[in-house]
Amino acid sequence: MKCSRYKVDRVSSPITAVAFVKLKSTLLLLACEGPWLRVYDHFTGRQLGFERVFDTQAVHGIASPSIDFASGSKLFPTQVVIWGGCFICVVWIEIDENPPDDFDRRIKVDICNAQAEDWILDTCFKPQASVSATTAFWEAVLVTSHNVLLSLHIPLAPSTKIRSAVLIYHMANGPRSILYSAHLIWPSHGPVLVAAGTVYGEVLFWSFFASETFSRPSLQTSGILSHKFKGHEGSVFGVRISGEFNCAESGARRILASCSDDRTIRIWNIDVSRSQKLNDGSVYDISSHVEEQPSQSWAMAMGHTSRIWDLHFIVETASKWSLLSLGEDSTAQIWHLRQPPDTNSQDADSRGSPLFHHQKTFRFHSGKNIWASAVHKQENSRIICTGGADGRLVCFTLSGQDSLHLTDTFSSQWTLEDMLKDPGKSSDAFDQSLLAARQANAFSRIIFSALEGHWKIVRNLNSVILTYPSGILEGSANFEKRSPTDPIYDAEYLYTENGILTTEQGFSLAASRRYVYRIEKDSGKMSAWFVKPDDGSAVDYFFHDLDFKSLSDVFPKLKEGGRIETLVAIGSHPCVDDIYQAEYIFRLRGFILDEWSLTYTVKGPKKDYVADARYVREEATPRLKTESDSDRMVKEALTIMDTSQHESSGSSLWNLDAFKTYTWINENEFLVTTKNGWLLLGNLTGSRNLDQFFVAGTSPQISWAKIANIPDLESFCITTSVLSLETVIFTGTTGSVYIYRNENKSIQSPIKSPSKITYLNSQLIHCNSTISSSKEPEAFEIAVVITCLESTTVHLHLLEAASRTSDFSVSLHRVLEKSPRFIITSTCFLSWEEVLVLGSRSGTLAIYTSWRNSSGPGNVRNPYYLHHVHGVDTITDIQMLPSGSSKSTSGAIYFVTTGRNGTYSIHQITSDRSKRETPVNFQTVHVCTPPFGPSVEGACLHPVTSDLLLWGFHSKQFVVWNETQKKELMTVECGGSHRNWAFSPSSNGSSGGSLVWTKASVCNVYSQSHASHRVLQSGGHGREIKAMALSPPVRATDGSMRRYVATGAEDTTIRIFDSYADKDAIHPQDFRCLGVFRKHSTGIQQLRWSSHGQVLFSAAGCEEFFVWRMSTIPCLEIGLVCEACCPPVTESSDLRIMDFDVAEIRRVDTTDGDCVPSYLLSLVYSDSSVRVYRYDCAGGQKTFNLLFLGYYTTRCLTQAALLRFGADIYLCTASTDGHIAFWPLTDPLLQNGIFCTGDSLSESSSHQSRHDKIPSTLTLSSRIRIHQSSIKALVALPLSDNLIFLVTGGDDGALAFTLLQRVLNDNQPLSPPSTSSILLLPTAHASAITAVTYLGPAPSPPSAPLASSTLPTPPPLTHRFATSGNDQRLKTWLVTPSAIQHPHPHPGETYLDVQKLANVHTSVADLACMAFHPDEGAEAEGEGGEGEEGGEGERIGKGGKVLLAGIGMERVRV
């Protein structure tokens, strides 16, 4: 049964088939989800058509002719074959030359359906050189799941009568088997080639010679089986035959690729020459031509983490092949194969092992399963499209032959020597700098080699603070050589120390410590590292470097020997509150080390001591083993020093330098600092427009220039930049702050700090009120934030310049106090009210106000601290949202923070001058976890697109993510976050940007001019949706009233969608996702909104119950924060919250109009328990108070609903035994000061709730059997104070309408509700009913009742309901009091009539939830007059949209 008013207008289901079709000059992309076909213009991304091709069957594949003829004309429309199961649909596509919208091209589609005898696995068209008006048919071949070939004949003529004559004939039988996959190739010469993957892990390759002209083949015709491969350990899900290549000895050959349940890809060598046409035309038994093949495949690789569904050859040559594989892990992976098989040998070993390796992984989908893919081959590139179970449709382009890469990308690697190859002589400063680096390298190697072995140690501890002991430690130490644990190091020692500490008071304490000492391969830098305490040997984190000083005169004296020379090395380490300064003094006699000392000076709030240790060899002299690493390093040191005495040019000395920092100056230029103090300028293009190179088809080049050598930058440097001014600010070891101006390549130093700087950041100040009006209009200010070593203050400097080329001068200096434990990692100035926000290493924010107007040069008052903003992890970046999007009508300012806990947050600040200490109100309005992580390093709101961009690290990849559009922009395999790097977003906002980083002492540069992929359809969840809730109307940022759809799925995420259609969108049938929120650890069971739409409640397994607060924010439209979590009450880790209901509790006598309500939460669990909580969120306290606890039986509870009968309230539960049960709550709630008034719960403002109260026992009053088995859905509709209409759907496929009434009895005022009537439709659906929703009332009753039952007279209204379930049918029902009189009526009773209005198919499988969105305002008026003749629209009532969710989502207009 169908209804004209029922129309699907939005679909988001798994993409099951995609294909490219060339139509005239337009490349079309066809994508199918369920029975629906979408047609896109690939180049513009605009959707051109949306058609239903099957009634109920989902599409499994698409095929089209490979010929490129004058398609799309009125004479020859393009033919496309679409199949699903055993059904076939032939689609003719034409360009609509007169579309209804003059600005939008559309297509015209004609459809003809047919049916085959078996499931179809693949289709291939017969090759045809040309098409003319005399051509009557296209011929195609189909292969079925039982390995049978069918011939399909498609009419080409435009006549509708001929188009309907689609013919299917039997063509040939293959080997008898059951197939999971197949691939067909119909070459222009030779037989039809068939590759088949069986259920039992076999790969079959057979062929069949088709007739040259159309004829009906014999039913006994068989093919020729050439190969039967065994090797897979599971079912074969995908097979693919390569293109043909020629070998000198054996002629044409191909290879075959297969993928399987065993997660492997195997390559098989096939001989096409075995499939030759028999001259006598005989029919052979296929089994007689089987030749046993070795189980060993020619090549095999494994890379996916789960099953592999399909694969494609994307590059095919005679010497190399590239494959694309798609997996259950929702990744698309590229594989590269070299060395094709030798035509002279069938023995794989004699040919040598081919190179089959993984090249790249693309993660463009979420959840599980990429089901569909298509490849369009162009001359120099490949366009790839993938569609997943998440409903997401993406396209990306790969270029290259030897190594495939994304189109319009650029990458380059540089060493320091390569950067500055100069045939001329270097400057004296250049030579001296590199000579000093070489000397430090040599002495590091000498000292490191001499440390090996055992030492006696005496350490004097002298503490100023009495709480830390002073005394003498005596013991032993050992430098034990071991293999380096990191490849960038040449050698490594495990340092162990054990001894007895005797304090000044005479106490003896055992003491020990462990470190790891390392030396780098290239630079020779020595460093010390902490050891993990629980391991005792594994490297934990960095301690300090050893920087050698005053080396110029030491080496000649060491070579003379005899006398003792002293070498000094220093190092430092800031450790939370404390600063460790280390000084090493080595006393060398020649190259022999007999003794040395190490002094630690430690300063901090709770530590102030000096530890002076003296080390002496236990043996008289150290003996170095022959050809040991120590010998080798000494020889290398001697070679380095001897060579340095004779070199007049410093070019080869660059090997001793190292990259230190990178800073972007603009989109194309970046500044590099080195360990020896050099400033180098890299330019990606030589111009200011990177895109021009990619448009021209050429790659940009990098040019390098030396800017200056600053000795202050040796071994230590911090840099920051102001991109809008192309200015870099940096500092070194002495505390001086330097400014580099790219406009004139000048450097100045306007700031001198009292000690070494440990943090430096800068920002352009947008408020110019302090700049004199007499200055040039280009005048600006830069704010510089500095923290120094051993300091608990923050120095704030304002630098003023009259123009972009004039020098800076300090116009203001402020000193800000901070907590000693607050280690600054990020800063941001908010232009409103002069607010400065600082982020720390421990996840804390510090907010300073009115820092500019503080009187005098003294300190600014203490900040306002906000703890655990990002847990206890580092806050990596703070960015104010631009004024155009961040300032609301209330005067609020928004800013975003990112952290290494894997989240980003948006916060709101408003002014509150009533608070003297903290004159601002702070609120976190949005917290979200992007799909990459766990380190989110930066964010910005792009000024061009207004999209929120995030970037950070996922494992070894650097990722740029567009949070507004929910798509990845760029991914770079860089090795991870523990390296020096810098990123610059692109100016267009859609291409990602440029990244520079150090890996293995090499400078790497990567840039791309376009995003890594295009999203044609955004999709939704990647797993089954289990819960959905439609919000009440909420005021959006544009002032309109909107409703939002919250969905929760097995992928543990919550998504918020906009329920309103955007008719001007590029993809009008797509659901628009506003946010993805990750906090649950298990699949979500239920979602519910509060009555005002500001609070969302979610429940899942493991007793997870979260409360989310929603607010509207300018940049992302909505913000969502998890404000509370209900604590678990059991130790069972698998206890699930199956359902819950929510009721607001309001105070009746409060004078505060903005009083925040409390909530009554009724939760039912899988262990048959019922728990009723009170949730309070007023005053910043988020508390859950367990009021009542009850138990049903041993059956799992599935549904919960709060029912109100006048002033009484009951909890109604449903369970797996088919019963509904009632739990009275009136008296228990009264004891807690809560009572029912009208439609809400109220509480006296004088009542004080107790959170330490023991929960009361909840008692079951009655239960009623409704269904034979589990109740899957329940809806309660109040009819009056004493009547409630209950609609339930069961696992038995039955739909029950139950009228509940409460009979008032003076003797029993709180009598439980009873059922006066139950109307059961036992076959309402063919399988379980999993969702029921109320569609609203209708004004008049219909005729012809489907079923009836007597009940007390209800209000005279007709009610509409919608049901759906596992049978994928959406049915709507009218329930109304009947005017027909019963022959023997009972007093006060009438009939209840139920009529089925519609029965339509839905493409949503495993449907779990449903919601109804009624039309409102103009939308309702527009739908009300939609040509409903005969009064059907008036009889049915107000229209709206039914949203269905399960495996995908669908919206049906009713």
Side-chain angles (χ1 to χ4, degrees), residues 3 73 104 124 127 288 354 386 417 477 607 632 649 699 738 785 872 997 1011 1016 1266 1279 1329 1385 1413:
C3 178
S73 67
D104 190 10
C124 179
S288 65
T386 59
E417 186 175 2
K607 293 181 182 180
R632 176 178 57 82
S649 174
S699 297
Y738 304 89
V785 178
V872 294
W997 75 97
L1016 299 182
I1266 302 292
L1279 300 178
I1329 298 176
H1413 184 184

Side-chain angles (χ1 to χ4, degrees), residues 831 880-888 893:
S831 60
M880 186 186 76
L881 301 180
S883 57
S885 64
S886 68
K887 198 158 187 177
S888 65
I893 281 287

Side-chain angles (χ1 to χ4, degrees), residues 766 828-831 878-883 886 893-896:
H766 300 285
C828 182
F829 290 85
L830 308 183
S831 60
I878 308 173
Q879 293 290 330
M880 186 186 76
L881 301 180
S883 57
S886 68
I893 281 287
Y894 294 88
F895 65 94
V896 59

Side-chain angles (χ1 to χ4, degrees), residues 45 155 329 396 398 412 447 502 538 625 636 649 752 768 778 931 963 1156 1284 1301 1362 1364 1392 1449 1453:
D329 58 3
F396 56 99
L398 300 179
S412 181
I447 295 299
T502 304
K625 296 180 181 180
E636 289 178 0
S649 174
K752 173 64 177 176
N768 296 321
E778 296 182 358
E963 177 64 10
V1156 179
I1284 292 180
Q1301 66 174 343
S1364 189
L1392 181 69
M1449 296 175 63
R1453 178 167 295 281

Side-chain angles (χ1 to χ4, degrees), residues 433-444:
S433 172
L434 297 181
L435 180 60
R438 175 159 289 210
Q439 291 173 344
N441 187 341
F443 283 115
S444 294

Side-chain angles (χ1 to χ4, degrees), residues 418-491:
D418 293 336
M419 285 181 181
L420 296 178
K421 285 182 178 178
D422 187 353
K425 291 186 178 181
S426 302
S427 64
D428 292 339
F430 175 78
D431 288 337
Q432 293 301 320
S433 172
L434 297 181
L435 180 60
R438 175 159 289 210
Q439 291 173 344
N441 187 341
F443 283 115
S444 294
R445 295 178 182 275
I446 293 172
I447 295 299
F448 193 89
S449 63
L451 285 174
E452 182 181 359
H454 297 272
W455 301 83
K456 293 180 180 178
I457 179 175
V458 177
R459 178 179 289 114
N460 290 315
L461 287 172
N462 186 5
S463 176
V464 176
I465 302 176
L466 297 179
T467 55
Y468 197 87
S470 298
I472 298 176
L473 180 142
E474 295 183 354
S476 62
N478 181 31
F479 286 84
E480 180 183 356
K481 186 176 64 177
R482 68 181 190 184
S483 299
T485 56
D486 193 311
I488 70 171
Y489 295 98
D490 198 7

Side-chain angles (χ1 to χ4, degrees), residues 736-739 747-752 797 799 807-810:
S736 296
V737 177
Y738 304 89
I739 299 180
I747 298 176
Q748 68 170 122
S749 179
I751 301 173
K752 173 64 177 176
H797 298 268
L799 301 178
D807 289 342
F808 283 97
S809 61
V810 178

